[in-house]
Amino acid sequence: MGQRAQAAAGCLTAATGAGLGLAVWAVDVRSRLWRFEQSPDWSVLYAELPLAILGGTAAALVVWALARRIGR
Protein backbone atom coordinates (compact mmCIF):
# COMPACT_ATOMS: atom_id res chain seq x y z
CA MET A 1 0.00 0.00 0.00
CA GLY A 2 1.37 3.40 -0.95
CA GLN A 3 1.83 6.34 1.36
CA ARG A 4 -1.16 8.18 -0.06
CA ALA A 5 -3.39 5.16 0.45
CA GLN A 6 -2.14 4.77 4.02
CA ALA A 7 -2.78 8.45 4.71
CA ALA A 8 -6.27 8.21 3.22
CA ALA A 9 -7.00 5.09 5.28
CA GLY A 10 -5.86 6.87 8.43
CA CYS A 11 -8.06 9.88 7.71
CA LEU A 12 -11.06 7.69 6.94
CA THR A 13 -10.46 5.74 10.13
CA ALA A 14 -10.34 8.95 12.17
CA ALA A 15 -13.54 10.24 10.56
CA THR A 16 -15.29 6.92 11.13
CA GLY A 17 -14.18 6.91 14.77
CA ALA A 18 -15.51 10.43 15.26
CA GLY A 19 -18.82 9.41 13.71
CA LEU A 20 -19.07 6.34 15.92
CA GLY A 21 -18.25 8.44 19.00
CA LEU A 22 -21.02 10.83 18.03
CA ALA A 23 -23.44 7.95 17.48
CA VAL A 24 -22.66 6.46 20.89
CA TRP A 25 -23.06 9.87 22.53
CA ALA A 26 -26.42 10.42 20.82
CA VAL A 27 -27.97 7.33 22.39
CA ASP A 28 -30.50 8.55 24.97
CA VAL A 29 -29.09 12.09 24.99
CA ARG A 30 -32.48 13.65 25.76
CA SER A 31 -32.73 11.91 29.13
CA ARG A 32 -29.16 12.91 30.03
CA LEU A 33 -29.81 16.52 29.04
CA TRP A 34 -33.05 16.83 31.04
CA ARG A 35 -32.25 15.06 34.32
CA PHE A 36 -34.85 14.83 37.07
CA GLU A 37 -37.22 17.31 35.41
CA GLN A 38 -34.94 20.20 36.28
CA SER A 39 -33.17 22.71 34.10
CA PRO A 40 -30.99 21.39 31.28
CA ASP A 41 -27.62 19.88 32.14
CA TRP A 42 -25.39 21.71 29.65
CA SER A 43 -22.32 19.67 30.59
CA VAL A 44 -23.75 17.00 28.31
CA LEU A 45 -22.94 19.30 25.39
CA TYR A 46 -19.71 20.99 26.41
CA ALA A 47 -18.07 18.08 28.25
CA GLU A 48 -19.53 14.76 27.11
CA LEU A 49 -19.84 15.52 23.38
CA PRO A 50 -16.21 16.53 22.74
CA LEU A 51 -14.96 13.65 24.89
CA ALA A 52 -17.08 11.15 22.97
CA ILE A 53 -15.83 12.41 19.61
CA LEU A 54 -12.19 12.52 20.69
CA GLY A 55 -12.47 9.13 22.38
CA GLY A 56 -14.00 7.57 19.28
CA THR A 57 -11.28 9.06 17.10
CA ALA A 58 -8.51 7.91 19.41
CA ALA A 59 -9.92 4.39 19.72
CA ALA A 60 -10.28 4.04 15.96
CA LEU A 61 -6.73 5.26 15.35
CA VAL A 62 -5.34 2.84 17.94
CA VAL A 63 -7.14 -0.03 16.22
CA TRP A 64 -5.83 1.18 12.84
CA ALA A 65 -2.25 1.38 14.15
CA LEU A 66 -2.49 -2.11 15.66
CA ALA A 67 -3.86 -3.49 12.39
CA ARG A 68 -0.96 -1.91 10.48
CA ARG A 69 1.56 -3.33 12.93
CA ILE A 70 0.06 -6.82 12.72
CA GLY A 71 -0.12 -6.61 8.94
CA ARG A 72 3.63 -6.09 8.58
Side-chain angles (χ1 to χ4, degrees):
M1 185 183 311
Q3 286 183 345
R4 287 185 180 183
Q6 288 179 356
C11 290
L12 286 173
T13 302
T16 302
L20 288 174
L22 180 62
V24 169
W25 173 83
V27 172
D28 204 25
V29 70
R30 180 171 285 187
S31 68
R32 287 194 324 263
L33 185 62
W34 295 93
R35 293 184 184 171
F36 307 118
E37 306 248 346
Q38 295 176 356
S39 63
D41 182 11
W42 295 110
S43 69
V44 171
L45 295 177
Y46 68 79
E48 290 181 16
L49 177 60
L51 287 175
I53 292 173
L54 289 174
T57 303
L61 289 176
V62 165
V63 169
W64 178 71
L66 288 174
R68 279 194 58 210
R69 173 139 345 238
I70 291 171
R72 285 187 176 186

